[in-house]
Amino acid sequence: LAKTTQPISMDSYEGQEVNITCSHNNIATNDYITWYQQFPSQGPRFIIQGYKTKVTNEVASLFIPADRKSSTLSLPRVSLSDTAVYYCLVGDHSNNAGNMLTFGGGTRLMVKP
Amino acid sequence: KAGVTQTPRYLIKTRGQQVTLSCSPISGHRSVSWYQQTPGQGLQFLFEYFSETQRNKGNFPGRFSGRQFSNSRSEMNVSTLELGDSALYLCASSLVGVAHTDTQYFGPGTRLTVL
């Protein structure tokens, strides 16, 4: 399983754009990149997933360079409610990979007023 | 559509006891996975059930077990509780259980405290 490395914590202010970068140097060809958000005492929540280039949804954007050895989660105009832990996960997309998510340490984002 | 529900939400037990936690997945979801979250080890995969069969298992001792019923509801059991079993136990459900294809929906968790 590809190992991921993220910053332990980040601070931001309301209204700013936040970019969280995840390193996954040994990502495999079949691996996808998925990001989850977790608030205290709650289960993680799916944010976005991608394989290459750029993916955007109503919540965030995910930028993946051509070599796929890293990815950047971009949160536009954050608010206090975006304060949470953000996890970058890398794993096999194929049916025979089973249903095991491997979580790293995550990035604790603190949004200040 | 109702989300994943877990019962109980909080539980206090003493060392040596056993405990059973319950998870009701989203209607129509057939895969249920269990995770343990502690401050020291983070989120760790316990096991996954699909169509009443354990399909994947994490690196936990045999004291941790589970099962899934025909309606996809799942239970996990921890026997001979140890202090280190104190954790937030999370259940996640998905349609067919393909990790990075099939979005997993997590429940609020059961906070287990072992005294």
Side-chain angles (χ1 to χ4, degrees):
Chain A
L1 289 171
K3 179 178 166 57
T4 61
T5 303
Q6 306 173 232
I8 294 174
S9 64
M10 293 180 69
D11 288 343
S12 183
Y13 291 92
E14 283 190 291
Q16 289 189 329
E17 177 184 74
V18 170
N19 295 309
I20 306 175
T21 297
C22 177
S23 171
H24 28 80
N25 290 319
N26 59 341
I27 189 169
T29 304
N30 288 337
D31 285 348
Y32 273 64
I33 301 151
T34 309
W35 286 79
Y36 279 80
Q37 173 194 56
Q38 186 179 26
F39 298 111
S41 297
Q42 293 186 28
R45 182 176 74 105
F46 171 88
I47 300 176
I48 198 166
Q49 181 186 82
Y51 183 80
K52 62 179 179 181
T53 62
K54 177 184 174 183
V55 180
T56 298
N57 61 21
E58 64 278 5
V59 176
S61 294
L62 179 59
F63 298 92
I64 306 168
D67 67 5
R68 304 200 327 121
K69 293 185 183 300
S70 67
S71 59
T72 299
L73 174 73
S74 180
L75 305 171
R77 297 179 301 281
V78 294
S79 64
L80 296 177
S81 63
D82 292 316
T83 294
V85 177
Y86 291 82
Y87 294 95
C88 164
L89 290 80
V90 172
D92 198 329
H93 199 260
S94 60
N95 286 337
N96 62 0
N99 196 32
M100 184 178 84
L101 293 178
T102 301
F103 288 84
T107 297
R108 190 172 299 274
L109 173 66
M110 174 70 73
V111 180
K112 303 174 183 177
Chain B
K1 201 180 210 182
V4 178
T5 58
Q6 293 187 244
T7 56
R9 292 293 313 278
Y10 302 92
L11 206 49
I12 299 175
K13 292 285 188 179
T14 56
R15 277 182 299 174
Q17 287 187 309
Q18 75 163 14
V19 67
T20 299
L21 311 181
S22 181
C23 171
S24 292
I26 292 172
S27 177
H29 285 192
R30 294 167 62 193
S31 167
V32 174
S33 299
W34 288 89
Y35 293 80
Q36 180 197 65
Q37 186 170 30
T38 61
Q41 298 298 319
L43 265 160
Q44 294 184 287
F45 173 80
L46 279 157
F47 31 65
E48 182 226 357
Y49 285 86
F50 180 80
S51 293
E52 302 178 63
T53 301
Q54 187 180 87
R55 189 163 63 171
N56 288 286
K57 190 176 188 307
N59 190 25
F60 278 81
R63 300 185 297 108
F64 292 82
S65 62
R67 59 177 175 168
Q68 186 180 35
F69 302 94
S70 58
N71 61 358
S72 293
R73 190 178 70 86
S74 177
E75 290 181 346
M76 69 162 281
N77 184 277
V78 188
S79 62
T80 320
L81 284 166
E82 300 176 0
L83 294 178
D85 297 332
S86 294
L88 181 67
Y89 289 88
L90 293 159
C91 162
S93 80
S94 62
L95 277 169
V96 293
V98 180
H100 286 263
T101 302
D102 195 13
T103 300
Q104 293 206 50
Y105 296 87
F106 284 81
T110 294
R111 171 78 60 187
L112 171 65
T113 301
V114 181
L115 303 175

XYZ file of all heavy atoms in Angstrom, chain A residues 24-85:
494
model
N 2.852 11.024 -2.017
C 2.672 9.561 -2.127
C 3.598 9.059 -3.214
O 3.186 8.719 -4.324
C 1.208 9.190 -2.400
C 0.404 10.224 -3.126
N 0.462 10.414 -4.490
C -0.477 11.133 -2.652
C -0.353 11.394 -4.830
N -0.939 11.852 -3.742
N 4.885 9.019 -2.874
C 5.932 8.725 -3.852
C 5.823 7.353 -4.512
O 6.249 7.174 -5.645
C 7.308 8.867 -3.197
C 7.641 10.314 -2.894
O 7.360 11.188 -3.692
N 8.222 10.551 -1.738
N 5.303 6.351 -3.781
C 5.248 5.007 -4.365
C 3.834 4.620 -4.784
O 3.453 3.455 -4.698
C 5.822 3.974 -3.384
C 5.076 3.959 -2.065
O 4.393 4.899 -1.735
N 5.230 2.888 -1.309
N 3.095 5.590 -5.277
C 1.737 5.317 -5.742
C 1.793 4.348 -6.925
O 2.663 4.447 -7.785
C 1.014 6.628 -6.123
C -0.462 6.374 -6.389
C 1.705 7.317 -7.287
C -1.295 7.651 -6.520
N 0.860 3.402 -6.941
C 0.842 2.395 -8.005
C -0.092 2.813 -9.137
O -0.941 3.691 -8.959
C 0.398 1.049 -7.425
N 0.052 2.158 -10.250
C -0.722 2.511 -11.437
C -2.228 2.457 -11.193
O -2.982 3.291 -11.689
C -0.362 1.572 -12.600
O 1.037 1.640 -12.822
C -1.109 1.956 -13.864
N -2.663 1.473 -10.439
C -4.104 1.302 -10.202
C -4.640 2.147 -9.054
O -5.844 2.102 -8.773
C -4.429 -0.161 -9.887
C -4.318 -1.055 -11.108
O -4.427 -0.583 -12.233
N -4.081 -2.322 -10.886
N -3.777 2.872 -8.379
C -4.195 3.606 -7.182
C -4.938 4.890 -7.523
O -4.556 5.628 -8.434
C -2.980 3.962 -6.319
C -2.432 2.768 -5.562
O -3.114 1.728 -5.513
O -1.312 2.896 -5.012
N -5.968 5.157 -6.736
C -6.665 6.423 -6.767
C -6.337 7.201 -5.499
O -5.863 6.644 -4.517
C -8.181 6.204 -6.862
C -8.674 6.065 -8.272
C -8.254 4.998 -9.059
C -9.546 6.984 -8.819
C -8.700 4.860 -10.351
C -10.012 6.853 -10.113
C -9.569 5.788 -10.881
O -10.011 5.657 -12.170
N -6.584 8.495 -5.529
C -6.323 9.368 -4.385
C -7.665 9.873 -3.870
O -8.471 10.414 -4.641
C -5.430 10.548 -4.794
C -4.103 10.023 -5.348
C -5.197 11.477 -3.601
C -3.481 10.934 -6.371
N -7.892 9.674 -2.587
C -9.171 10.051 -1.982
C -8.905 10.892 -0.735
O -7.989 10.596 0.027
C -9.952 8.783 -1.591
O -10.026 7.888 -2.709
C -11.368 9.143 -1.160
N -9.698 11.902 -0.551
C -9.578 12.758 0.631
C -10.855 12.667 1.471
O -11.968 12.682 0.941
C -9.346 14.221 0.236
C -7.963 14.485 -0.265
C -7.473 14.211 -1.505
C -6.889 15.084 0.459
N -6.158 14.595 -1.594
C -5.774 15.138 -0.409
C -6.755 15.588 1.758
C -4.545 15.682 -0.019
C -5.544 16.126 2.154
C -4.448 16.171 1.274
N -10.632 12.577 2.793
C -11.728 12.557 3.757
C -11.529 13.693 4.759
O -10.413 14.129 5.018
C -11.768 11.228 4.530
C -12.442 10.088 3.792
C -11.772 9.376 2.818
C -13.745 9.727 4.094
C -12.390 8.332 2.144
C -14.377 8.685 3.428
C -13.684 7.993 2.450
O -14.298 6.953 1.795
N -12.642 14.153 5.318
C -12.645 15.198 6.334
C -13.256 14.608 7.603
O -14.232 13.852 7.534
C -13.512 16.357 5.842
C -13.777 17.467 6.832
C -14.916 18.367 6.335
O -16.018 17.910 6.062
N -14.632 19.654 6.196
N -12.665 14.938 8.746
C -13.224 14.432 10.001
C -13.305 15.537 11.047
O -12.293 16.178 11.355
C -12.411 13.262 10.551
C -13.055 12.619 11.779
C -12.291 11.445 12.331
O -11.076 11.347 12.165
N -12.988 10.540 13.020
N -14.506 15.714 11.587
C -14.716 16.628 12.707
C -14.578 15.829 14.008
O -14.762 14.606 14.015
C -16.100 17.271 12.624
C -16.308 18.099 11.394
C -17.196 17.687 10.408
C -15.608 19.279 11.204
C -17.394 18.445 9.268
C -15.789 20.036 10.059
C -16.675 19.615 9.085
N -14.280 16.504 15.106
C -14.108 15.797 16.390
C -15.324 14.952 16.744
O -16.462 15.383 16.579
C -13.910 16.941 17.388
C -13.359 18.053 16.569
C -14.016 17.943 15.226
N -15.045 13.741 17.181
C -16.082 12.796 17.632
C -17.103 12.464 16.556
O -18.247 12.132 16.859
C -16.799 13.335 18.876
O -15.880 13.462 19.940
N -16.694 12.551 15.316
C -17.551 12.121 14.206
C -16.746 11.208 13.292
O -15.516 11.201 13.329
C -18.057 13.314 13.399
C -19.014 14.216 14.136
C -19.582 15.280 13.228
O -19.691 15.084 12.006
N -19.959 16.410 13.803
N -17.456 10.458 12.444
C -16.761 9.648 11.466
C -16.275 10.492 10.301
O -16.799 11.573 10.037
N -15.262 10.024 9.585
C -14.763 10.755 8.406
C -15.848 10.892 7.342
O -16.751 10.058 7.245
C -13.616 9.870 7.912
C -13.189 9.077 9.102
C -14.442 8.832 9.880
N -15.692 11.941 6.547
C -16.660 12.192 5.479
C -15.899 12.340 4.176
O -14.922 13.085 4.112
C -17.448 13.465 5.784
C -18.530 13.815 4.780
C -19.291 15.030 5.252
N -18.532 16.259 5.102
C -18.753 17.186 4.160
N -19.680 16.975 3.261
N -18.029 18.281 4.130
N -16.336 11.652 3.128
C -15.707 11.729 1.819
C -15.777 13.151 1.278
O -16.810 13.810 1.347
C -16.427 10.774 0.865
C -16.021 10.895 -0.577
C -14.942 10.159 -1.052
C -16.702 11.730 -1.444
C -14.564 10.258 -2.393
C -16.323 11.836 -2.772
C -15.255 11.099 -3.247
N -14.635 13.644 0.747
C -14.623 14.976 0.140
C -14.498 14.867 -1.374
O -15.308 15.405 -2.116
C -13.437 15.824 0.656
C -13.490 16.012 2.155
C -13.442 17.198 -0.024
C -12.268 16.755 2.679
N -13.438 14.199 -1.834
C -13.156 14.201 -3.259
C -12.219 13.062 -3.595
O -11.494 12.572 -2.728
C -12.539 15.567 -3.676
C -12.623 15.794 -5.186
C -11.112 15.704 -3.161
C -12.351 17.251 -5.592
N -12.244 12.643 -4.838
C -11.385 11.557 -5.298
C -10.914 11.845 -6.718
O -11.653 12.432 -7.511
C -12.152 10.241 -5.286
C -11.350 9.033 -5.734
C -12.212 7.797 -5.827
O -12.898 7.570 -6.810
N -12.180 7.006 -4.778
N -9.671 11.417 -7.018
C -9.181 11.612 -8.368
C -8.090 10.631 -8.734
O -7.514 9.955 -7.866
N -7.791 10.584 -10.028
C -6.708 9.722 -10.529
C -5.575 10.570 -11.118
O -4.407 10.315 -10.840
C -7.229 8.754 -11.576
C -6.194 7.794 -12.082
C -5.854 6.657 -11.348
C -5.518 8.017 -13.291
C -4.882 5.768 -11.791
C -4.545 7.133 -13.738
C -4.242 6.018 -12.987
O -3.271 5.141 -13.424
N -5.917 11.543 -11.924
C -4.895 12.426 -12.487
C -5.506 13.774 -12.838
O -6.723 13.954 -12.801
C -4.259 11.800 -13.720
C -5.219 11.563 -14.862
C -4.481 10.962 -16.050
C -5.446 10.703 -17.198
N -4.747 10.095 -18.372
N -4.687 14.724 -13.126
C -4.991 16.117 -13.472
C -5.826 16.793 -12.387
O -5.396 16.874 -11.268
C -5.683 16.210 -14.859
O -6.921 15.513 -14.828
C -4.774 15.626 -15.923
N -7.002 17.276 -12.744
C -7.763 18.075 -11.795
C -9.204 17.578 -11.694
O -9.823 17.233 -12.693
C -7.753 19.545 -12.231
C -8.575 20.467 -11.339
C -8.598 21.881 -11.905
C -9.533 22.775 -11.104
N -9.627 24.141 -11.671
N -9.679 17.523 -10.463
C -11.075 17.169 -10.196
C -11.670 18.265 -9.326
O -11.012 18.743 -8.402
C -11.172 15.818 -9.462
C -12.631 15.462 -9.200
C -10.487 14.721 -10.261
N -12.879 18.659 -9.624
C -13.542 19.701 -8.838
C -14.966 19.285 -8.529
O -15.655 18.740 -9.386
C -13.545 21.036 -9.594
O -12.199 21.457 -9.801
C -14.275 22.119 -8.802
N -15.380 19.526 -7.290
C -16.783 19.350 -6.942
C -17.245 20.592 -6.177
O -16.530 21.591 -6.115
C -17.029 18.045 -6.178
C -16.295 17.966 -4.861
O -15.904 18.995 -4.293
N -16.091 16.750 -4.376
N -18.402 20.510 -5.569
C -18.960 21.696 -4.922
C -18.221 22.060 -3.637
O -18.420 23.144 -3.094
C -20.448 21.474 -4.626
C -20.749 20.351 -3.636
C -20.750 18.969 -4.274
O -20.428 18.851 -5.478
O -21.073 18.007 -3.564
N -17.382 21.179 -3.176
C -16.704 21.398 -1.899
C -15.233 21.765 -2.086
O -14.706 22.628 -1.376
C -16.791 20.128 -1.017
C -16.010 20.319 0.265
C -18.240 19.796 -0.725
N -14.562 21.099 -3.011
C -13.112 21.249 -3.112
C -12.629 20.931 -4.513
O -13.385 20.481 -5.364
C -12.431 20.307 -2.108
N -11.327 21.181 -4.704
C -10.651 20.773 -5.931
C -9.460 19.910 -5.554
O -8.873 20.080 -4.481
C -10.174 21.991 -6.728
O -11.262 22.747 -7.206
N -9.133 19.003 -6.441
C -7.990 18.113 -6.227
C -7.084 18.220 -7.442
O -7.525 17.997 -8.576
C -8.472 16.677 -6.038
C -7.413 15.604 -5.814
C -6.581 15.907 -4.569
C -8.071 14.228 -5.690
N -5.825 18.595 -7.182
C -4.854 18.750 -8.245
C -3.833 17.627 -8.150
O -3.239 17.402 -7.083
C -4.145 20.105 -8.127
C -5.071 21.272 -8.265
C -5.657 21.836 -7.143
C -5.361 21.810 -9.510
C -6.521 22.920 -7.250
C -6.219 22.893 -9.633
C -6.799 23.451 -8.501
N -3.629 16.936 -9.259
C -2.695 15.807 -9.290
C -1.754 16.014 -10.467
O -2.188 16.039 -11.620
C -3.449 14.471 -9.450
C -4.516 14.335 -8.352
C -2.475 13.293 -9.382
C -5.505 13.214 -8.585
N -0.445 16.152 -10.204
C 0.510 16.357 -11.304
C 0.682 15.086 -12.124
O 0.231 14.010 -11.715
C 1.797 16.731 -10.565
C 1.670 16.096 -9.223
C 0.212 16.138 -8.890
N 1.357 15.231 -13.240
C 1.497 14.109 -14.174
C 2.183 12.893 -13.548
O 1.823 11.753 -13.844
C 2.271 14.568 -15.414
N 3.159 13.112 -12.679
C 3.856 11.957 -12.092
C 3.057 11.313 -10.951
O 3.430 10.234 -10.467
C 5.259 12.343 -11.617
C 5.242 13.318 -10.449
O 4.160 13.644 -9.918
O 6.326 13.788 -10.064
N 2.006 11.957 -10.515
C 1.098 11.444 -9.472
C 1.777 11.140 -8.147
O 1.211 10.455 -7.299
C 0.366 10.190 -9.977
C -0.386 10.395 -11.241
C -1.479 9.393 -11.560
N -1.239 8.057 -11.117
C -2.044 7.400 -10.283
N -3.127 7.976 -9.802
N -1.767 6.138 -9.939
N 2.940 11.668 -7.924
C 3.641 11.401 -6.664
C 3.184 12.313 -5.541
O 3.635 12.194 -4.397
C 5.157 11.512 -6.874
C 5.711 10.414 -7.777
C 7.221 10.496 -7.865
C 7.772 9.449 -8.828
N 7.443 8.079 -8.418
N 2.312 13.245 -5.852
C 1.735 14.097 -4.826
C 0.349 14.532 -5.299
O -0.004 14.328 -6.466
C 2.612 15.322 -4.567
O 2.610 16.163 -5.715
N -0.393 15.122 -4.389
C -1.695 15.690 -4.751
C -1.974 16.846 -3.808
O -1.426 16.892 -2.682
C -2.808 14.648 -4.684
O -2.911 14.094 -3.380
N -2.789 17.783 -4.256
C -3.110 18.947 -3.430
C -4.613 19.123 -3.350
O -5.291 19.232 -4.387
C -2.469 20.218 -4.011
O -1.051 20.070 -4.023
C -2.842 21.437 -3.166
N -5.101 19.122 -2.123
C -6.509 19.408 -1.876
C -6.644 20.908 -1.707
O -5.944 21.506 -0.885
C -6.981 18.698 -0.605
C -8.399 19.040 -0.151
C -9.414 18.390 -1.079
C -8.632 18.586 1.292
N -7.532 21.526 -2.459
C -7.734 22.961 -2.371
C -9.148 23.260 -1.878
O -10.129 22.801 -2.466
C -7.506 23.604 -3.752
O -7.687 25.001 -3.685
N -9.205 24.006 -0.783
C -10.491 24.417 -0.207
C -10.643 25.912 -0.431
O -9.890 26.703 0.130
C -10.541 24.099 1.285
C -10.268 22.659 1.683
C -10.143 22.534 3.205
C -11.380 21.755 1.178
N -11.596 26.329 -1.253
C -11.733 27.762 -1.540
C -12.460 28.496 -0.413
O -13.436 27.983 0.134
C -12.574 27.760 -2.812
C -13.390 26.515 -2.733
C -12.554 25.500 -1.994
N -11.983 29.641 -0.051
C -12.681 30.512 0.889
C -13.183 29.744 2.118
O -14.389 29.581 2.337
C -13.851 31.218 0.201
C -13.416 32.140 -0.931
C -14.619 32.797 -1.605
N -15.554 31.835 -2.168
C -15.377 31.208 -3.307
N -14.267 31.414 -4.026
N -16.285 30.351 -3.755
N -12.264 29.302 2.931
C -12.628 28.496 4.101
C -13.392 29.314 5.130
O -13.246 30.533 5.224
C -11.391 27.843 4.752
C -10.776 26.819 3.795
C -10.382 28.887 5.193
N -14.194 28.616 5.905
C -14.918 29.222 7.017
C -14.546 28.473 8.296
O -13.847 27.451 8.252
C -16.432 29.137 6.788
O -16.836 27.782 6.758
N -15.010 28.996 9.423
C -14.682 28.365 10.709
C -15.115 26.902 10.729
O -14.465 26.064 11.364
C -15.363 29.124 11.851
C -14.919 30.569 12.074
C -15.742 31.200 13.193
C -13.440 30.649 12.400
N -16.195 26.584 10.044
C -16.723 25.225 10.042
C -15.856 24.242 9.252
O -16.127 23.037 9.262
C -18.144 25.203 9.482
O -18.140 25.635 8.141
N -14.848 24.741 8.573
C -13.918 23.858 7.857
C -12.802 23.369 8.762
O -11.942 22.580 8.334
C -13.323 24.576 6.644
C -14.355 24.850 5.567
O -15.146 23.927 5.274
O -14.362 25.972 5.021
N -12.779 23.833 9.990
C -11.797 23.343 10.963
C -12.045 21.864 11.203
O -13.112 21.459 11.659
C -11.911 24.117 12.295
O -11.537 25.465 12.071
C -11.009 23.498 13.356
N -11.054 21.053 10.862
C -11.221 19.601 10.900
C -9.880 18.951 10.597
O -8.887 19.625 10.338
C -12.257 19.148 9.863
N -9.869 17.634 10.624
C -8.701 16.876 10.186
C -8.977 16.365 8.778
O -10.071 15.839 8.508
C -8.400 15.697 11.129
C -7.209 14.886 10.607
C -8.115 16.198 12.541
